[in-house]
Every structure is written in structure tokens, then in C-alpha cells.
Amino acid sequence: MHILLFNEYYPPDTSATAKMAAQVAETLAERHTVTVVAGRPSYDPDEYYPFAFLRRDTRNGVVVERVGSTAYSRHRMHRRVSNYLTYLALAVPRAIALRPDVVLAMTDPPVAGIAGAFVARRLDRPFVYNIRDLYPDMAVGGDIVKASPWVDRWERMHRRALKQAARVIVLGDDMRERILAKGASPERVVVVRDGASLPDSMPAQSDPACQEIRSGFPFVALHAGNLGFYGAWNTLLAAAEMLSNENTGFVFIGGGANRDALGAAAANAPNVRFLPFRPLEQIPQVMMAGDVHIVTVRRGLEGVVVPSKLYSILAAGRPVLAVAAPNSDAARIVTESGCGLAADPDDPDAVASAIRKLRSDPARLIEMGRRAREIASRYARVNELRRFVEIMEEAGAPSQNGRH
């Protein structure tokens, strides 16, 4: 088959979606022809491209066509919207011109699924929708936009795309429940988790980079990743204040929309540190630096966003504190597998209490780490990618597509 992947971000963009898009595309390209229609790199890229209406190259067997969208820094919303709109204006006609056998859309920009469904309808091709973040729910729940008639219109168009899709691929059971509530057919909505590759070995916590990250704290609760709209950040900072005299540090590694505000709120907190992202080769040290790793989802956003970094934590064999509602995928996996604890995202006391329990029982932490590594094998990335390919092939089979 000729599969078209519709997503604005693709390496050298450095977003998690860009990286996952590349892994999906390269795995599909082992058996099929794959073309990615992307925009000019704009998500903290490690390489910038000069303007061209269309730039075509081949990366690891995948044909990547980049339309001449604007490439402003995404840290100001109006500039990010410019990138979105110019990408859509150029990518939709280009995708139609390519006439693929199957259209696969992700969620960059947030209306990419609607645009991908439109392309598939115009071409009478099967449409597969891989939802990374659920919009417009994410935009409203994250206080990015307010409920309004145009958001209602966005939701109606999104539901039409969901009903059109031959398959809707989601990241967790909580997201699947959200999609079914929107009227999608259960047999078409499938869970494919991002998973993670299991490392052969990990550095010791005495490694200098680990010690630097630990910032001198005897016990470290670590959050590594984007400090975006989805986390229970105020709850975490309140819990940190409760533990400020208990030899416990909270270390946040990464950036994001809330980084500056959180840094200002915790400016006088003696046990809170904000550190920049570490180089890629130091990810193992980041994993080992935390005595417990925090995964957080604000109440009401479970199933809207699924923090796939959980699988990297499990693969590293680290205990997890899921600061999320009990019905969230993260809390379910952590509590059912015994690899950590879950705490109410609205209750700082519950978070502080969970950390005290973990800090006071080193043997339990070791057992949780062992369980984390054990459970990680269920979500090996290679197996999840293989399942993704199978779903794409089912969607493009003659039973789904009368053209064949």
C-alpha cells in the first residue's frame, strides 16, 4: 500500500509526537510505501530549513515532503497558530495530489484528524486516526480556549471524523472510553500504547550526572518531561512545601508552557529544583536519578492526555507515583501491577503521604522497581509498533476499501 501520514511535526522536530511519528512511519515503510506530509521544523528542532514551497527527502525509507509553512517558535500562541494554519493550507492540497491508498492522521495540529478525514473523503480512501491528545477536550480542559459556539463546531467536525475512521488508534483504555462516549463504533477503536524499549543496563545512581540531577537531596521525587497544561502542578508544589523539612526534594526536568509560572511559584521553596532537559545520551541517568518518578494528569483530563513517558520509567525499573484519578490509565497500571502508588491529583496531603510511605520503606521501593521492569515487557515498543502495522493493513484491506 501507499500510506500517507498527515502530521505537522516530524524530525528534526523534537516533540514526542514527531519522534513517535517517525517510528510508526519507519516501521510501516518496512512493508509499504510511506509518504509523510509535514511542515517546516518548528518544534525546538535541532536543524532549521530555509523556506521552500515543497521540500522532499527520504529518511530511513520514508519519503518526507515538507510544505512551506511558517516556522515560528511555538512558545507564543499566535505564532504557533500561524504555523498550524499555513501548514494546513498547503498540506491538504498536497496530500490530495499524492493520492495514497490509506490516509493516517495524528493530532498535530489539533485539527489534523479533521483535515485527514477530509482528504480521505475527497479521495474515497480509508482513514485511520491515531489520537495522541484528544481535542478539543484538551484545549478546553487545559484552559487554552473557552467553551464557545466555534468550539462546539470543532467538536461536531471531530465526531464526524471519528465516525468516518476505519480505525481509531488510541493510547490507553481511558482514552478509548472517551472516544466511545463520542459515538465511535467499539469495534473500530483499538488501544496501541507507545511502549518503550527495554535497556540492557542502567547506570548506578552514583553516576556524576545522576548526582547532579539529584541536587543534593537524600530522597528525590522526580518529574521528567513537558510542564504543560495537563499536570496537577499546584498539588505537587503544595506537597513539596509539606515535605520541605523532611529531606525530600522535588526535581522537575524539562520545559513547557507552565515552566516559568511554576518556577516563580516555587522560587522560595528550598526543596524544589527546575532543571533543563538533559542531552539524549543522559536519559538513563535521568531515569536513575529519581527515587520515585512522578506521572501526573489533572483531574478531568484522564483519557484526554495519556502520559506515555510512563513506559520509559517502567522500562528503567523505577518506582512510580501516579498523581492522577483512579480511572486514569497511569493509575490503573501502577496500582494493578504493584510498581508504585497512586494519589489524588487534588489532594496534596495524599501526595505527601504517598512519598513518605515510599521514602520510609527502601525494601518496598526495590520491589516496586522490580515489578516495574517486569510489567514493562508487556508494553515493549517493538510489539506495539507491530500491532500498529497490523491495524493499518486491516484498514487498507479489500473489505475496508472497495477500490481494491
Side-chain angles (χ1 to χ4, degrees), residues 319 337-339 362-372 374:
S337 67
C339 68
R364 188 180 186 188
L365 276 177
I366 292 171
E367 174 60 17
M368 286 176 171
R370 186 193 68 77
R371 290 290 296 148
E374 184 178 278

Side-chain angles (χ1 to χ4, degrees), residues 123-367:
L123 296 174
D124 190 25
R125 304 298 200 264
F127 170 56
V128 179
Y129 190 9
N130 180 207
I131 300 179
R132 316 296 305 174
D133 293 312
L134 181 56
Y135 287 97
D137 308 56
M138 176 67 171
V140 175
D143 297 323
I144 302 171
V145 300
K146 301 296 183 183
S148 64
W150 75 266
V151 173
D152 293 340
R153 169 73 171 166
W154 183 1
E155 173 65 12
R156 289 194 296 272
M157 294 172 68
H158 188 247
R159 291 189 181 218
R160 182 183 181 190
L162 289 172
K163 291 180 179 180
Q164 176 186 335
R167 296 289 185 275
V168 180
I169 302 174
V170 297
L171 301 180
D173 292 321
D174 51 359
M175 186 176 282
R176 184 175 190 273
E177 291 164 5
R178 290 258 186 181
I179 298 302
L180 295 181
K182 292 177 182 290
S185 300
E187 67 276 8
R188 295 188 178 189
V189 184
V190 292
V191 176
V192 179
R193 304 176 192 278
D194 281 350
S197 301
L198 274 62
D200 294 327
S201 62
M202 296 295 290
Q205 203 172 73
S206 58
D207 182 284
C210 291
Q211 290 300 307
E212 181 183 340
I213 293 166
R214 289 178 65 81
S215 304
F217 298 121
F219 187 90
V220 172
L222 188 145
H223 180 280
N226 185 49
L227 299 171
F229 299 102
Y230 61 85
W233 310 121
N234 291 336
T235 299
L236 292 175
L237 293 184
E241 184 176 2
M242 294 175 183
L243 297 168
S244 60
N245 296 317
E246 298 186 28
N247 295 320
T248 299
F250 282 66
V251 177
F252 297 85
I253 299 179
N258 283 332
R259 165 63 181 82
D260 292 343
L262 293 174
N268 297 319
N271 63 331
V272 178
R273 297 289 184 275
F274 289 90
L275 304 176
F277 281 116
R278 309 292 291 197
L280 185 62
E281 62 271 16
Q282 289 188 12
I283 295 302
Q285 282 82 357
V286 171
M287 292 293 103
M288 291 305 299
D291 295 292
V292 60
H293 279 257
I294 296 171
V295 175
T296 178
V297 179
R298 280 172 54 184
R299 184 175 298 280
L301 293 185
E302 53 275 1
V304 173
V305 58
V306 179
S308 293
K309 69 173 190 161
L310 170 65
Y311 307 111
S312 297
I313 298 168
L314 299 178
R318 309 307 294 153
V320 183
L321 174 60
V323 182
N327 61 329
S328 69
D329 231 43
R332 287 175 182 170
I333 291 173
V334 167
T335 55
E336 290 175 6
S337 67
C339 68
L341 299 177
D344 188 328
D346 295 327
D347 188 350
D349 284 311
V351 174
S353 176
I355 291 175
R356 289 188 183 108
K357 289 179 183 177
L358 296 170
R359 187 190 62 209
S360 65
D361 195 345
R364 188 180 186 188
L365 276 177
I366 292 171
E367 174 60 17

Side-chain angles (χ1 to χ4, degrees), residues 387-404:
R387 175 63 179 141
F388 202 112
V389 172
E390 292 171 354
I391 292 166
M392 291 297 302
E393 290 175 343
E394 291 170 0
S399 60
Q400 295 291 334
N401 184 357
R403 296 179 304 102
H404 293 303

Side-chain angles (χ1 to χ4, degrees), residues 23-107:
Q23 292 190 31
V24 166
E26 290 167 14
T27 304
L28 287 167
E30 294 173 4
R31 298 173 59 161
H32 304 282
T33 299
V34 179
T35 302
V36 176
V37 177
R40 288 171 64 205
S42 62
Y43 196 115
D44 302 330
D46 48 31
E47 181 182 358
Y48 290 90
Y49 293 168
F51 173 79
F53 279 110
L54 185 67
R55 175 190 175 114
R56 183 186 298 109
D57 58 22
T58 301
R59 299 171 60 105
N60 300 324
V62 177
V63 176
V64 183
E65 296 202 352
R66 296 185 183 275
V67 297
S69 56
T70 57
Y72 295 123
S73 168
R74 57 185 298 279
H75 298 296
R76 292 188 177 182
M77 182 57 71
H78 69 281
R79 293 191 170 191
R80 190 188 311 184
V81 170
S82 173
N83 295 346
Y84 290 165
L85 295 178
T86 54
Y87 168 73
L88 291 168
L90 296 170
V92 168
R94 182 57 191 162
I96 292 172
L98 289 168
R99 305 190 67 81
D101 296 312
V102 181
V103 177
L104 166 63
M106 292 185 172
T107 49

